[in-house]
Amino acid sequence: MVAVLEAETGGEPTAGGIHVEGANRKSLAVITEEIESCSAAPEAAGAASGFLLLDVSALGIERVQPALTNSGVACLGVGASTARVVADDEAAGGARLVSKISCCLAVDCRAVETRVAARWLQNFRTRLEEPLEMLL
């Protein structure tokens, strides 16, 4: 199960978030559909979940360090997208503008090995850099 906690603009993060059962067996489109359909009635706070996603991008916060709760073994914090200039020899002027986000993964090392968490974060980064692969 994945719990999605999304901060509202100008407000507090939603209390219990949205819980998606069996997210590891569903496509990105199905997960998005479930999140959108459940956004009006999140489950009560404190419901058990293995993986939490904390999105504070709507508040304009660039970085977040998530804290684990009693109900989760891992939590991914996602910050706001920012525009940055990076060097690019092929671009005009030797630089180009890219969008970057900051993500931080907190895990309970009693439940998840550090190398497994690092591999997951590496795969997550690859998916973000090549988003069309998630749709196939």
Side-chain angles (χ1 to χ4, degrees), residues 55-135:
D55 179 5
V56 296
S57 61
L59 298 175
I61 299 171
E62 291 182 21
R63 293 192 172 123
V64 60
Q65 172 66 48
L68 291 176
T69 64
N70 291 338
S71 63
V73 296
C75 183
L76 179 70
V78 180
S81 176
T82 58
R84 296 186 187 167
V85 177
V86 295
D88 186 351
D89 294 335
E90 296 177 12
R96 65 184 170 101
L97 194 62
V98 297
S99 293
K100 294 220 173 197
I101 62 169
S102 176
C103 298
C104 182
L105 180 64
V107 297
D108 183 344
C109 292
R110 298 170 296 178
V112 178
E113 289 185 37
T114 315
R115 64 185 168 90
V116 172
R119 189 176 316 128
W120 185 93
L121 198 54
Q122 183 179 33
N123 287 331
F124 178 72
R125 178 182 177 178
T126 301
R127 299 297 182 270
L128 286 180
E129 291 174 345
E130 299 294 335
L132 292 178
E133 289 183 12
M134 290 189 287
L135 301 174

